[in-house]
Amino acid sequence: MDPVIIVGAGPVGLALSLALAAQDVPCVVLDETAGKEEPRPARTVVLRADMAALVERLGCATLRDEGVRWVGWRSMRRRQQMRHVPLDLGLAGAEGGADMPAAPLHIPQHALARGLRDAAVREELVTLVTDARVDTVEQDAHGVGAHTRGPDGTWWRGSHLVGCDGARSTVRKLLGVRFPGRTAVERYAVAALRTELPWAGEALLHRQPPWRGVGDEIAARPLPDGVWRIDWLLPPRGELVTPDALVTRIRDTLAGWCEGTTPPYDLIDTGVHTVHHRLARRWRVDRIFLAGDAAHLLGAVGTQGLDEGLRDVENLAWKLAHAWHHRDASPTLLDSYQSERRAAVAGLLRAADQALPLLRGGGGLRTYLSGGGRGHDALLADGHLGRGPLGALPAYPHSPLAPEPSEGRIPVSTPDGAPVEDVRVTAPDGTTVRLRDRLGQGRQLVLLVAPGTGVWDRRHWVSAGVMPRLAEAVDALPAPAELLVTEAYPGAPAHAVLLVRPDGHLAAAFAGVRPEELHAAADAVRGGDPAAGEPAEDGDGDGEATADVPVDASVDAS
């Protein structure tokens, strides 16, 4: 069968190629560049703990050496500290608790892309093609064709195509998909510098600093080797950032944080970062998909664009792999990528648009946030830390893949459709790992809550109680599944059975072993039984998401 064609070799495109290869799907990555990452220390990305764990599972070796996890988060307003949050460094991929969130990972984007590219080069199922700019895409009932320009123009044939080619996506334009939204929602002057600040290893957000000329908001985020990225929020319009003006900002800011004296510093890189908010009208057109910046742009008030692009990868990869391996897969499965991910990103954009007037001096959410500035600081902090309306992890409760209610369903602490907790689990072969370590292999996970299995000899519990009946039920499921056991899961009683999607979202929880209900839920997760003779790829994927982002319809980038 033809490989999947991926257009674009940024972090999202490379991550998708590796995620598909991990599920035995060959890929061709068409890279319009020469394949070398330009070092830009001031261009960095923040990954939530679960997305950092995803990148590590894909074989990216740069996270530990060139990225850093924050040990804490501080919020200041004027001269007062408003909030100090210690961060959990203990478990990569764990979501942390209400009082101690999991530490995000901060890394230069070129280092992340280089690590993913190195992993893709090592992967036999991934073919990287450089200097390959796509100028034509065509599709029919059996596959997709992509033409790359050059002296010897080449046609590439694939089963599907995913446009991961950024904000100016050629694929999106060739499809005629509109990209409405807002331009220059926020602007920042950015500097990467090596110095010593009073908050070693902690990120800082300082609003309304009491020094003239530095702006209304400053963020400082640590990187390895004593390097910091510092962002100054610029006025909505105007203000040309000259080198002299930026140096003045740096000196005044460092002096303000260091008791009036500017400490020694080494300026490594500078830039201006402009945040746009846009959302593609369609993310699937038959066999062609959009992901990452080609599908959405966000980044104001703590939202993270690349983090959301990697969530696109996690959502799409297992669905595309299933369709690639099973020609009779349900069209609902591939359609669900747009309905789930577009609604999730639209929710973040809507929350940011509602918060901006309040946080930047207007009305907005004033009626919803008591406590004045303290409530505003909490809203911003939660956005940066992956909590609250600006940063909460995506859930898909209204997904077309959601199982129907049944008699044996029970609630647990994780809502249906939300990411599961990263508990420690044991496989029937005796392997003990974190739950997230079992993701990314295209299998559904069936998790039995069985207190005491951690201290019992495996020879006893693997063939005792409900295990034999549950193992038989798992073997009979309509899609590949892995049976796991855990000592406890938040909010779940003993002998509860949880069905987890291949991307780590909870499909359903049951009170005990219920083979028929478990089978029906597993079938729903794979999209249900397809119509006879109808291949998954023939769906038109034109269903709109259940939520949209408020945008100015007159602003469009097609």
Side-chain angles (χ1 to χ4, degrees):
M1 189 171 176
D2 293 325
V4 172
I5 299 173
I6 298 172
V7 180
V12 172
L14 292 168
L16 180 59
S17 72
L18 292 166
L20 288 170
Q23 299 173 64
D24 298 321
V25 177
C27 306
V28 172
V29 181
L30 302 179
D31 180 5
E32 71 175 34
T33 75
K36 295 183 179 179
E37 310 300 335
E38 178 188 0
R40 287 297 311 273
R43 188 182 184 191
T44 65
V45 296
V46 177
L47 302 180
R48 315 298 192 206
D50 60 333
M51 289 300 97
L54 167 66
V55 172
E56 284 193 307
R57 290 198 304 272
L58 296 177
C60 180
T62 56
L63 295 192
R64 297 185 184 276
D65 295 333
E66 300 187 57
V68 65
R69 295 180 187 275
W70 307 336
V71 300
W73 170 272
R74 290 178 185 267
S75 297
M76 295 183 66
R77 188 158 58 92
R78 299 186 180 92
R79 298 184 184 276
Q80 181 181 3
Q81 178 172 296
M82 306 295 291
R83 190 179 179 99
H84 181 225
V85 183
L87 300 177
D88 183 3
L89 299 171
L91 299 172
E95 303 309 332
D99 299 324
M100 186 175 287
L105 183 133
H106 189 209
I107 186 171
Q109 182 164 322
H110 70 265
L112 174 63
R114 174 166 34 83
L116 289 167
R117 184 180 293 272
D118 290 345
V121 169
R122 296 190 299 267
E123 176 53 62
E124 293 183 358
L125 290 176
V126 176
T127 301
L128 285 169
V129 184
T130 57
D131 298 311
R133 182 175 179 81
V134 172
D135 58 11
T136 305
V137 294
E138 298 178 352
Q139 58 181 318
D140 54 40
H142 305 289
V144 181
H147 183 266
T148 52
R149 68 174 64 170
D152 300 314
T154 303
W155 277 99
W156 302 87
R157 184 68 178 176
S159 64
H160 302 82
L161 184 146
V162 186
C164 304
D165 49 342
R168 296 181 174 87
S169 170
T170 298
V171 173
R172 188 186 64 241
K173 293 174 182 177
L174 290 173
L175 292 174
V177 174
R178 295 182 59 215
F179 198 36
R182 299 180 180 178
T183 299
V185 176
E186 292 190 325
R187 295 172 61 243
Y188 294 86
V190 183
L193 51 88
R194 183 175 287 105
T195 190
E196 186 174 342
L197 293 180
W199 315 282
E202 295 187 343
L204 170 74
L205 184 68
H206 196 159
R207 302 182 67 219
Q208 302 173 11
W211 325 301
R212 292 182 179 179
V214 296
D216 289 335
E217 183 177 292
I218 312 171
R221 291 171 281 192
L223 288 162
D225 302 322
V227 175
W228 293 80
R229 169 174 165 165
I230 302 181
D231 295 50
W232 293 266
L233 179 66
L234 298 173
R237 291 177 175 80
E239 186 160 344
L240 180 65
V241 183
T242 65
D244 288 344
L246 183 57
V247 169
T248 299
R249 284 178 184 271
I250 292 172
R251 295 181 62 83
D252 290 349
T253 298
L254 297 183
W257 286 338
C258 300
E259 299 181 353
T261 301
T262 302
Y265 68 91
D266 179 17
L267 183 58
I268 301 171
D269 189 23
T270 63
V272 174
H273 174 51
T274 303
V275 175
H276 309 288
H277 279 181
R278 294 186 181 277
L279 187 66
R281 291 293 189 189
R282 297 174 66 181
W283 291 27
R284 179 191 180 195
V285 180
D286 299 325
R287 292 175 175 268
I288 302 178
F289 301 81
L290 300 175
D293 285 355
H296 52 76
L297 295 176
L298 68 164
V301 292
T303 55
Q304 301 294 331
L306 180 54
D307 194 81
E308 292 303 315
L310 292 173
R311 296 188 193 282
D312 297 344
V313 168
E314 187 175 52
N315 187 285
L316 178 59
W318 69 274
K319 299 171 181 178
L320 205 52
H322 185 86
W324 193 90
H325 287 293
H326 304 277
R327 290 178 179 269
D328 62 342
S330 166
T332 303
L333 184 65
L334 292 182
D335 286 342
S336 70
Y337 166 66
Q338 172 174 301
S339 61
E340 290 178 350
R341 288 300 303 146
R342 190 174 186 275
V345 174
L348 288 176
L349 287 171
R350 183 185 302 106
D353 282 346
Q354 290 175 337
L356 276 166
L358 169 68
L359 297 172
R360 304 307 183 219
L365 297 175
R366 190 174 303 278
T367 58
Y368 298 102
L369 287 174
S370 59
R374 188 172 297 275
H376 306 169
D377 289 308
L379 177 69
L380 270 174
D382 284 349
H384 284 275
L385 296 177
R387 306 189 301 186
L390 295 176
L393 299 182
Y396 312 126
H398 306 298
S399 167
L401 307 182
E404 293 292 330
S406 61
E407 181 181 356
R409 295 276 291 274
I410 59 171
V412 296
S413 294
T414 301
D416 290 346
V420 293
E421 297 288 338
D422 191 27
V423 297
R424 187 164 292 279
V425 298
T426 302
D429 64 1
T431 306
T432 301
V433 294
R434 306 299 306 186
L435 180 57
R436 286 198 177 276
D437 294 337
R438 312 306 291 181
L439 301 178
Q441 300 175 50
R443 297 192 297 260
Q444 299 184 34
L445 305 178
V446 178
L447 182 62
L448 172 66
V449 180
T453 51
V455 296
W456 294 356
D457 189 303
R458 176 182 167 273
R459 293 174 300 172
H460 299 304
W461 62 259
V462 76
S463 59
V466 301
M467 275 296 290
R469 185 166 175 244
L470 180 57
E472 182 180 355
V474 171
D475 288 340
L477 292 180
E482 182 178 22
L483 175 57
L484 304 169
V485 179
T486 185
E487 283 264 2
Y489 188 91
H495 303 142
V497 175
L498 280 63
L499 179 64
V500 181
R501 297 176 7 159
D503 57 0
H505 288 251
L506 179 65
F510 302 94
V513 180
R514 295 174 175 261
E516 291 184 2
E517 295 182 36
L518 182 63
H519 188 284
D523 188 51
V525 168
R526 68 176 186 135
D529 291 328
E534 181 183 13
E537 297 89 335
D538 288 345
D540 64 7
D542 197 24
E544 285 296 318
T546 57
D548 208 340
V549 57
V551 295
D552 183 353
S554 65
V555 180
D556 199 347
S558 59

